Amino acid sequence: MFNRRNKLVFAVMAAFALGSVLSGCGNNNNGAASSAPSAATASGSAVNAPSESAEPVELSVFSWMFEGADAPDSVIYKQLQEKLNIRIKPITASWNDWEEKLNVMIASGEMPDVFVSYGIDRPVQYRQWIKEGMVLPISDYADQYPNIKNSLANFEVLAKTTGNKQYSLPIYNEAGSGKDAVSGHNILIRKDWLDKLNLQVPTTIDEFYAVAKAFSENDPDGNGKKDTYGYTSSSGGVWWQYPIFNAFDTSTERWEKEEGQWTPEVISDETKDAVTFLNGMYNEKILDPEFMLNTDDKKIEKFVTGKVGMIIHNANATFYNDIYNKFLKASPDADPKSIFTWVGTLKGKSGIQRMDGFNNFWCETSINAGISEEKQKKALELLDYLLSDEGQNLMLNGVEGVHYKKEGDKIVPLLSDEEKSKDKAFSLKALVSWNTDYLPDSTPNKEDIVALSKSTGDYAVPNPLAYLNISEDALDPSIPNQLNDYVNEEIIKLIVESKDVNVDFVKFKDAWLSKGGTKVIEETNKEAVAEGR
Amino acid sequence: MTKRMMKYKMLYVMLLPAIVFLFVFNYIPMYGASIAFKDFWITKGILGSPWVGFDHFEQLFKTDKFWQVFRNTIEINLLRLVFGFPAPIFLAILLNEVRLKWFKRSIQTIVYLPHFISWVTISGIIFSLLSNEGLVNKVITAFGGDSVNFLTSNGMFRPLLVLSGIWKEIGWGTIIFLAALSGVNPDLYEAATVDGANRFKQIVHITLPSLLPIISILLILNFGSMMTGGFDQVFNLYNTMVYESGDVIDTYVYRIGLTQGKYSMATAIGLFLNVINFVLLIVVNSASKKMSGQGIY
């Protein structure tokens, strides 16, 4: 179920790749790299000044977006080369098959020197690499590389799951926020419909229901037909509804601690309430009857064309502006901001606002343990430099005098975003960070997007048992997988077909327990105690 | 090297590249199938990884839903065989009876075009036709009926699979039968006409018997993909509501874990299915040989 999240970050990153010049507001810009190549200034990073005699060290670097990162005419790449005395050989693949390509490379013994992968989010293969000693335990070297050390310190929980060592560098989303969890999703709503029916943006789950009901029954589009729905979902129907479950202070995939015991939220009474709620909405035809059939694109289409009034989706700069432009295209004379807005985090039944967030990183960068020590050292230096203030500045703003000029403390871009994005070496930043919280001033609707992101991001809570490392011998990893599959299937059926959720939910709960759930609970508690969660 | 082989040595030389190709690309990689019985370590390689016997298979058979999807796979493929297999034969015979050359040609072209459209595209077309807002339901409601949930009901899903499969492949399937029919000696039809056989009688006594060899060969080959095939179609058409009737081995295994790089498991499943396919092929082939003397070898 990670792909939704990936899409979100991918979009952020695509936006970056499309050349949003990230002006480092609030980013410390000390030690801007000088444009004179001979005068390499020492910054806080552990980089040795290049000696003229040493041959540059070649590193193969893999990610899906490094196409052309080593272009001979790239100013950024030249800077990196001179700074670190390395030559980068990018290996790249398309977004659709990069994982497969990476797996094939690794399986055939051609692991790249430095590579981006889903890391711990693909636990089976990641742990296999560790077990076989194929990836470098980066945390063992952290003391020599202060910037790597600082970055790893944010993700100590990950080390717990891999024998207290970090075998890769998590690529962080929001640098300075210090957050454990980020959101990037939101409930989007048709503002024009609200206005027509004299309603306010819902703030509680009860208001959400009332608005959705009005949207489906009071003809918000004014065409005299009852052909609208209050709300819809997509991609299987369950996953995207997590904010609704959150409003009942529950979820279909997390665990909660009750009386010292970890219990799965999916079989809790709160989940039953949430399912009852959705089942009611389905029966009243407030919930789109085809919510489980929609692709993500179809969901957005239904929202834009006025078939449904509310959707839950990615809502960051890229997605917001994408939907904004779709509305603009649909009705060129109207201001999209008068047509749609966002709901944020609903107050739940118990009055709390909960939004299950995601880790503040996406993908990880690993270093091949089988390369020469010299190469390992260079790979670590590269990551450390990219994480340093100077490296971040180079990657976000470019080279002074070429990409920007300084006026006092302000950074003024010299090139348009489009011009700047021609230098593909900027993509190398993705080895260490996405910087999703930096929106350049040139971003359209920037203020709205900041507010939109805050409306869910501020409530994002991390998963308390993220990456709990239950050994394969104790619990066959395919059991949780099968249970997830079962949950996705059954929850939909309860919503759509159940005549009495109270009765059917008990059956669901019993089946979940008998299909291996009991064992999962037992092993989860054992491991949680062992890891001190 | 018998005398006969010497006599036709040039033919054998021509066969050589094909044999080498098969050996290099189909037989040598087969040793990789051994990882189905191993705990595969990337660094140790295929040969160096430790044996684990039937662990992966046991795990597979223990999987909760495995037997349900196993049964679905067989049932769906049987339906495809009963309805989907005769369809192109039927169409080929009908087309064969058409006298107008241009009409026959254009029909042929039109019906085999869908073969080139991917399931991704077709599923999009099907969804927009059959959804609640779709054309079909608009017609039904216009006549005062209730709209039907074509896409989310277990009763509808298998007919949908079979029919959409027929629609896509029927034209492509007729090509081979029409080719076989073009080789039938016209004298036979003339003689039958002289003997007073009408068109229908001619079909029964001449056209069908001429098609029998090719029909039995294709039927046997079809049994060789009994346990597999159809991933694209099912994957693009199904949804959570119809897992019960439409989830097949390919899609289930894909969902619960092949995306995680479980090489050994993936191999074990592939091997298991192909062993069944292989056995079916052998059995059906020998049965066919007993009954009609026709077989693929």
Side-chain angles (χ1 to χ4, degrees):
Chain A
M1 292 283 20
F2 285 108
N3 59 350
R4 227 86 49 219
R5 195 182 122 208
N6 297 349
K7 251 192 222 170
L8 135 98
V9 188
F10 172 63
V12 171
M13 196 199 74
F16 171 74
L18 290 172
S20 37
V21 183
L22 300 162
S23 79
C25 41
N27 193 8
N28 28 18
N29 302 311
N30 56 336
S34 88
S35 51
S38 56
T41 49
S43 77
S45 71
V47 172
N48 313 325
S51 51
E52 293 301 311
S53 56
E55 275 289 297
V57 178
E58 189 171 275
L59 286 177
S60 60
V61 177
F62 174 87
S63 173
W64 62 88
M65 62 201 144
F66 288 170
E67 184 86 47
D70 60 341
D73 61 348
S74 158
V75 185
I76 298 283
Y77 180 59
K78 272 206 191 80
Q79 284 267 346
L80 270 180
Q81 243 183 318
E82 272 151 11
K83 191 86 210 160
L84 303 163
N85 194 29
I86 51 170
R87 201 181 279 135
I88 288 175
K89 195 167 124 257
I91 306 170
T92 152
S94 77
W95 167 249
N96 289 323
D97 62 7
W98 71 270
E99 260 198 291
E100 200 179 324
K101 190 171 169 182
L102 177 66
N103 280 333
V104 169
M105 275 195 284
I106 291 173
S108 55
E110 292 169 19
M111 185 186 265
D113 300 343
V114 180
F115 63 96
V116 173
S117 77
Y118 281 125
I120 190 71
D121 281 334
R122 293 281 184 275
V124 176
Q125 64 181 41
Y126 186 64
R127 296 206 163 105
Q128 184 78 23
W129 298 341
I130 293 171
K131 187 167 90 177
E132 298 192 30
M134 298 170 83
V135 284
L136 199 69
I138 295 178
S139 53
D140 288 0
Y141 301 82
D143 284 339
Q144 303 154 47
Y145 300 97
N147 301 309
I148 290 181
K149 191 176 179 164
N150 287 342
S151 196
L152 286 178
N154 294 317
F155 303 104
E156 267 169 6
V157 70
L158 297 182
K160 282 183 182 167
T161 74
T162 48
N164 288 325
K165 285 190 182 184
Q166 309 246 33
Y167 290 87
S168 58
L169 178 80
I171 306 172
Y172 62 71
N173 292 329
E174 299 183 8
S177 67
K179 279 185 192 166
D180 294 335
V182 294
S183 173
H185 296 164
N186 216 313
I187 305 173
L188 299 173
I189 187 166
R190 292 284 301 229
K191 190 171 183 306
D192 53 345
W193 289 12
L194 285 172
D195 295 341
K196 185 166 185 315
L197 303 176
N198 283 323
L199 294 163
Q200 296 300 311
V201 175
T203 58
T204 68
I205 186 74
D206 295 326
E207 288 171 11
F208 171 88
Y209 171 79
V211 166
K213 193 175 165 76
F215 278 174
S216 64
E217 291 172 3
N218 301 348
D219 193 22
D221 54 354
N223 66 353
K225 289 191 201 126
K226 189 179 177 306
D227 58 354
T228 52
Y229 295 105
Y231 159 65
T232 192
S233 186
S234 64
S235 294
V238 175
W239 193 84
W240 271 117
Q241 304 213 52
Y242 77 88
I244 305 294
F245 285 87
N246 288 172
F248 288 84
D249 195 13
T250 187
S251 72
T252 57
E253 45 199 10
R254 292 194 177 188
W255 294 68
E256 58 188 345
K257 209 166 188 170
E258 281 188 345
E259 295 157 20
Q261 279 282 313
W262 286 100
T263 59
E265 290 186 322
V266 69
I267 53 171
S268 67
D269 287 343
E270 288 84 9
T271 300
K272 186 179 73 186
D273 296 341
V275 172
T276 308
F277 175 84
L278 289 167
N279 173 273
M281 287 197 20
Y282 181 86
N283 290 334
E284 291 183 71
K285 296 227 177 344
I286 297 170
L287 171 60
D288 172 15
E290 294 188 336
F291 73 96
M292 77 302 273
L293 281 178
N294 295 331
T295 56
D296 287 359
D297 291 344
K298 185 84 193 165
K299 174 174 73 178
I300 294 170
E301 185 192 315
K302 282 182 173 179
F303 182 64
V304 173
T305 54
K307 295 264 181 285
V308 293
M310 285 187 275
I311 56 171
I312 301 172
H313 200 56
N314 294 311
N316 51 35
T318 315
F319 279 91
Y320 180 88
N321 282 328
D322 182 48
I323 293 172
Y324 182 95
N325 292 332
K326 283 196 166 89
F327 275 114
L328 202 58
K329 215 168 143 183
S331 42
D333 308 334
D335 175 12
K337 287 181 196 179
S338 71
I339 304 180
F340 84 113
T341 183
W342 61 90
V343 171
T345 311
L346 293 167
K347 274 199 192 65
K349 288 284 182 190
S350 56
I352 62 152
Q353 286 175 286
R354 165 175 165 184
M355 179 63 70
D356 284 353
F358 307 101
N359 304 305
N360 196 357
F361 75 91
W362 181 63
C363 285
E364 306 190 68
T365 301
S366 310
I367 299 173
N368 184 343
I371 51 178
S372 69
E373 265 184 45
E374 183 189 30
K375 280 193 175 199
Q376 288 177 7
K377 195 163 157 285
K378 280 294 171 196
L380 288 161
E381 276 177 19
L382 170 67
L383 298 185
D384 193 73
Y385 176 72
L386 289 173
L387 281 165
S388 71
D389 291 338
E390 183 187 323
Q392 284 280 306
N393 182 58
L394 176 68
M395 285 290 148
L396 290 169
N397 300 319
V399 178
E400 189 170 6
V402 179
H403 298 98
Y404 70 93
K405 63 176 195 280
K406 286 182 92 160
E407 290 178 0
D409 279 349
K410 252 182 82 82
I411 284 183
V412 182
L414 295 172
L415 295 175
S416 71
D417 292 2
E418 204 179 333
E419 280 294 313
K420 182 167 173 260
S421 68
K422 282 186 183 152
D423 194 331
K424 296 287 179 247
F426 278 115
S427 63
L428 289 167
K429 178 171 76 79
L431 284 170
V432 300
S433 63
W434 303 116
N435 303 77
T436 48
D437 47 348
Y438 289 119
L439 291 179
D441 291 332
S442 54
T443 311
N445 306 314
K446 184 176 167 177
E447 280 169 26
D448 290 284
I449 291 161
V450 169
L452 162 98
S453 304
K454 272 184 74 71
S455 73
T456 50
D458 286 355
Y459 301 97
V461 282
N463 183 349
L465 291 186
Y467 308 118
L468 193 73
N469 185 13
I470 302 174
S471 82
E472 282 189 38
D473 305 329
L475 179 72
D476 176 354
S478 67
I479 292 177
N481 273 349
Q482 288 169 49
L483 282 172
N484 275 341
D485 196 56
Y486 176 74
V487 164
N488 286 328
E489 189 177 350
E490 286 305 306
I491 296 276
I492 292 288
K493 283 195 171 159
L494 286 167
I495 294 170
V496 172
E497 292 173 348
S498 180
K499 297 283 169 275
D500 184 351
V501 178
N502 273 322
V503 174
D504 293 339
F505 195 82
V506 174
K507 285 184 205 148
F508 160 72
K509 185 174 168 174
D510 291 340
W512 190 90
L513 289 168
S514 68
K515 282 175 192 289
T518 313
K519 175 105 174 121
V520 173
I521 293 175
E522 185 191 332
E523 295 302 332
T524 300
N525 275 293
K526 264 193 217 160
E527 184 62 31
V529 171
E531 289 183 19
R533 304 255 189 155
Chain B
M1 294 294 270
T2 59
K3 221 189 261 177
R4 243 186 84 199
M5 279 176 88
M6 283 310 291
K7 189 173 163 195
Y8 296 111
K9 59 176 179 290
M10 266 332 193
L11 286 178
Y12 282 100
V13 170
M14 283 183 192
L15 189 65
L16 202 62
I19 291 176
V20 170
F21 179 90
L22 271 181
F23 185 74
V24 171
F25 292 102
N26 293 19
Y27 280 77
I28 293 179
M30 268 197 204
Y31 89 99
S34 65
I35 69 168
F37 307 97
K38 290 181 168 214
D39 175 17
F40 180 56
W41 278 52
I42 301 163
T43 41
K44 292 179 183 171
I46 294 174
L47 294 175
S49 295
W51 293 97
V52 293
F54 283 90
D55 276 14
H56 299 298
F57 291 92
E58 276 170 29
Q59 215 183 48
L60 183 65
F61 301 146
K62 263 200 329 229
T63 309
D64 192 37
K65 265 183 80 174
F66 181 78
W67 297 109
Q68 189 201 328
V69 293
F70 186 79
R71 213 182 44 240
N72 278 349
T73 310
I74 292 180
E75 286 170 4
I76 287 171
N77 274 320
L78 279 174
L79 285 172
R80 282 187 181 137
L81 202 66
V82 172
F83 295 100
F85 183 73
I89 302 171
F90 194 69
L91 182 66
I93 291 171
L94 288 180
L95 278 176
N96 196 45
E97 298 299 316
V98 173
R99 298 239 179 84
L100 293 165
K101 273 272 183 290
W102 62 268
F103 182 71
K104 183 174 161 180
R105 289 245 167 84
S106 43
I107 291 284
Q108 244 184 295
T109 312
I110 291 165
V111 291
Y112 86 64
L113 277 182
H115 170 79
F116 298 99
I117 308 174
S118 78
W119 276 113
V120 179
T121 316
I122 294 179
S123 69
I125 298 170
I126 289 176
F127 281 7
S128 51
L129 280 175
L130 297 181
S131 75
N132 279 343
E133 309 286 323
L135 190 68
V136 177
N137 272 319
K138 280 213 171 88
V139 172
I140 292 174
T141 46
F143 283 104
D146 287 332
S147 73
V148 184
N149 292 330
F150 289 105
L151 300 167
T152 53
S153 82
N154 281 302
M156 295 274 183
F157 189 68
R158 287 182 183 178
L160 180 75
L161 278 185
V162 173
L163 288 172
S164 61
I166 290 176
W167 177 80
K168 185 172 187 293
E169 297 300 339
I170 189 167
W172 189 250
T174 52
I175 292 175
I176 193 165
F177 295 114
L178 284 170
L181 285 175
S182 67
V184 179
N185 188 345
D187 293 354
L188 291 173
Y189 288 108
E190 275 175 36
T193 320
V194 171
D195 289 345
N198 61 15
R199 299 290 291 200
F200 183 73
K201 280 254 160 66
Q202 287 177 25
I203 291 176
V204 174
H205 294 289
I206 300 166
T207 313
L208 270 175
S210 329
L211 282 179
L212 258 180
I214 192 88
I215 289 176
S216 48
I217 284 172
L218 285 175
L219 190 65
I220 294 163
L221 287 176
N222 249 338
F223 272 96
S225 59
M226 200 66 201
M227 300 310 300
T228 47
F231 173 83
D232 284 353
Q233 185 193 9
V234 176
F235 186 73
N236 283 302
L237 288 174
Y238 81 160
N239 60 73
T240 5
M241 292 296 292
V242 294
Y243 282 176
E244 211 176 304
S245 61
D247 205 6
V248 292
I249 300 175
D250 286 344
T251 48
Y252 181 59
V253 164
Y254 168 84
R255 271 208 321 278
I256 66 155
L258 284 195
T259 42
Q260 306 184 341
K262 295 183 176 177
Y263 301 110
S264 290
M265 191 55 144
T267 313
I269 292 159
L271 197 62
F272 171 69
L273 297 181
N274 283 321
V275 164
I276 296 181
N277 283 337
F278 181 71
V279 170
L280 274 175
L281 190 89
I282 302 286
V283 169
V284 175
N285 188 54
S286 54
S288 156
K289 277 176 93 157
K290 275 207 175 65
M291 289 192 310
S292 68
Q294 284 286 347
I296 51 170
Y297 55 85

